[in-house]
Amino acid sequence: MHGKFVFLLHPLDMGHVYREKPWAKWLPKSIVQFYMVKKKPFIASHITGIKSKTGDTAEGWFIIIPMTPDLMLKYEDVATQRIIEAGHIGEELGATIMGLGAFTAIVGGAGLKAAEALDGIGVTTGNSYTAYTAHEALLMGAREIGLNPEDPALTLAVVGGTGSIGRIVAKLLAPKVNGKIVIVGRNKEKAEKVASELRPITNAEVLSSDDVRGIMRQADMAVTVSSAVDAIIGPDDVKSGAVIVDVSRPRDVAEAVKNRDDVLVIDGGVVKIPGDVKFNFDFGFPPGTAFACMAETMMLALEGWSGDFSLTKELKEEQVLQTGRWAKKHGFELIWMRSFDLPVSEEKIKHMREIISRRVNSYG
Ligand SMILES: NC(=O)c1ccc[n+]([C@@H]2O[C@H](COP(=O)([O-])OP(=O)(O)OC[C@H]3O[C@@H](n4cnc5c(N)ncnc54)[C@H](OP(=O)(O)O)[C@@H]3O)[C@@H](O)[C@H]2O)c1
């Protein structure tokens, strides 16, 4: 089997645009943004060398939608149209599946509008495997620093817990937590609805909140996966000894939090790709690795999947677990923890372990 896919990328902020096109800095921002909204999607690179443990292979193409998150939210209809145009490029290339990266997975009904408009190519947000790896990363981080998620004294926060990824991450983690779980969103009613879905599947006390900073100050473990366009968690908003998996792009956790040596922030969804993959495009990751949403698109291509996959805001748990099984079958795996784009050092882990063990000892 040889699968083909396309994956959509876009600049995360104007800084990205200026790094790619330095001359644009000399123009008024409004003019640059006017052209970004007018510009059609284009192929940025050919991705080769993906080889599954089964022997199946895949190739793909990155396609750029030249709009930043705030432009996509402001001109959502244009962004949706660009996603559909990118789908047509994918069809011409013979791809059977199109993965939606970052905000292309949020606008247009989280891929639904594009899926309705495209017959010749399936669409996925990649959110199922992203959710799967986010839950794996939290358990890995907790284990490495000596936190037991089952400890009844611990609080887990899921920021953006009402969203497509956050809701299902909370569902995967809830049976493993016995202390407190807080679902955090902007809309308290939506957060309470997710909280009520969790109560039957966990021994933990489950609460809902719209106070991101207040809850993060109490959280020992957190997954942050909001669609906020700017960081919403600063260095004074995190608890000493906490492990936080930040899945959001743009990040939810401000860069300044890396100065807190008593907190472990893990970059969510970084996956090793099977084979000798060449992206021919620098998105800032170590060689051979990619975002989990890209990995989901690749595994669907390796499976010869031609329909839509992770599309609705209410992902099914079985679908998410299926991506975990496919990952194992084809050889995709979570890489060693990274924090703000750098590997987490043994010293950091040791320091975190000391903080946790001091705390456990002081509780008696
Ligand atoms: N690392 C990866 O591989 C990867 C893959 C896919 C997606 N992502 C990223 O994951 C994030 C979430 O994606 P999604 O598809 O789950 O989004 P989504 O379905 O739109 O959900 C977004 C969630 O964020 C909450 N939210 C938005 N703005 C907020 C704010 N200012 N403060 C607090 N909560 C806020 C929303 O709350 P309300 O419901 O109350 O509005 C909702 O719970 C995005 O940043 C996306 O780029 C990363």
Side-chain angles (χ1 to χ4, degrees):
M1 167 76 208
H2 180 75
K4 291 186 181 179
F5 67 92
V6 289
F7 191 87
L8 308 194
L9 299 172
H10 66 84
L12 289 180
D13 51 36
M14 289 305 287
H16 272 190
V17 178
Y18 296 141
R19 273 194 298 281
E20 285 301 311
K21 308 269 181 229
W23 49 263
K25 268 191 234 159
W26 305 106
L27 297 172
K29 187 173 153 194
S30 57
I31 302 275
V32 179
Q33 292 189 326
F34 175 82
Y35 282 105
M36 287 165 73
V37 172
K38 291 268 169 234
K39 192 163 167 57
K40 299 276 185 186
F42 58 92
I43 296 172
S45 79
H46 184 199
I47 306 159
T48 57
I50 300 159
K51 185 164 184 195
S52 159
K53 285 201 305 197
T54 62
D56 293 320
T57 53
E59 68 182 308
W61 290 265
F62 279 137
I63 299 182
I64 307 266
I65 307 281
M67 294 172 79
T68 49
D70 49 346
L71 283 178
M72 285 198 206
L73 293 176
K74 191 167 171 193
Y75 303 104
E76 192 162 347
D77 287 349
V78 179
T80 306
Q81 187 51 36
R82 296 288 176 259
I83 294 168
I84 295 167
E85 288 161 5
H88 291 311
I89 298 176
E91 286 169 346
E92 279 166 27
L93 290 165
T96 53
I97 186 87
M98 172 167 79
L100 306 178
F103 266 63
T104 64
I106 289 171
V107 294
L112 276 174
K113 288 191 182 161
E116 274 165 22
L118 293 163
D119 294 330
I121 189 166
V123 179
T124 188
T125 56
N127 283 354
S128 293
Y129 190 50
T130 300
Y132 189 84
T133 54
H135 114 280
E136 278 188 312
L138 187 82
L139 296 178
M140 180 202 270
R143 186 183 61 235
E144 291 296 330
I145 65 171
L147 270 185
N148 177 3
E150 291 179 7
D151 182 341
L154 300 184
T155 294
L156 166 73
V158 183
V159 175
T162 55
S164 166
I165 302 170
R167 175 182 154 275
I168 204 82
V169 170
K171 277 198 148 179
L172 294 176
L173 290 171
K176 301 181 169 73
V177 177
N178 292 322
K180 203 190 275 182
I181 300 175
V182 191
I183 300 299
V184 193
R186 279 174 303 192
N187 178 323
K188 180 100 170 49
E189 248 171 64
K190 274 165 75 184
E192 182 46 35
K193 182 170 171 282
V194 176
S196 68
E197 287 177 31
L198 300 184
R199 289 189 186 110
I201 59 166
T202 180
N203 293 326
E205 179 189 5
V206 187
L207 304 172
S208 54
S209 174
D210 54 8
D211 177 12
V212 176
R213 290 170 200 267
I215 296 300
M216 283 302 294
R217 285 184 204 125
Q218 302 166 28
D220 306 283
M221 304 175 287
V223 177
T224 65
V225 60
S226 93
S227 56
V229 288
D230 295 307
I232 51 177
I233 298 159
D236 297 330
D237 307 325
V238 284
K239 182 174 174 180
S240 183
V243 54
I244 303 167
V245 175
D246 188 0
V247 183
S248 302
R249 289 295 181 277
R251 294 173 191 275
D252 278 344
V253 180
E255 288 259 350
V257 179
K258 66 181 169 198
N259 300 326
R260 285 280 307 258
D261 69 348
D262 57 339
V263 173
L264 175 61
V265 181
I266 304 171
D267 299 342
V270 189
V271 174
K272 163 105 184 62
I273 307 301
D276 181 21
V277 63
K278 297 277 181 285
F279 291 103
N280 301 308
F281 184 88
D282 183 12
F283 49 94
F285 272 24
T289 64
F291 281 113
C293 48
M294 296 172 184
E296 177 176 316
T297 312
M298 293 171 197
M299 65 179 81
L300 289 168
L302 287 167
E303 282 291 313
W305 189 274
S306 55
D308 302 322
F309 196 72
S310 307
L311 268 195
T312 65
K313 284 272 178 197
E314 302 225 336
L315 292 179
K316 295 195 177 52
E317 196 171 341
E318 176 43 36
Q319 207 175 358
V320 174
L321 296 174
Q322 178 63 61
T323 61
R325 289 193 289 271
W326 279 334
K328 218 168 173 186
K329 169 180 164 188
H330 292 294
F332 293 86
E333 57 185 62
L334 203 61
I335 64 162
W336 172 249
M337 298 177 286
R338 291 172 67 79
S339 185
F340 297 99
D341 295 325
L342 291 175
V344 175
S345 66
E346 284 302 329
E347 295 80 69
K348 173 82 183 196
I349 300 289
K350 193 163 159 258
H351 183 58
M352 291 296 297
R353 279 188 163 267
E354 282 163 6
I355 293 168
I356 304 293
S357 80
R358 268 204 303 273
R359 203 167 64 190
V360 171
N361 292 338
S362 73
Y363 289 154

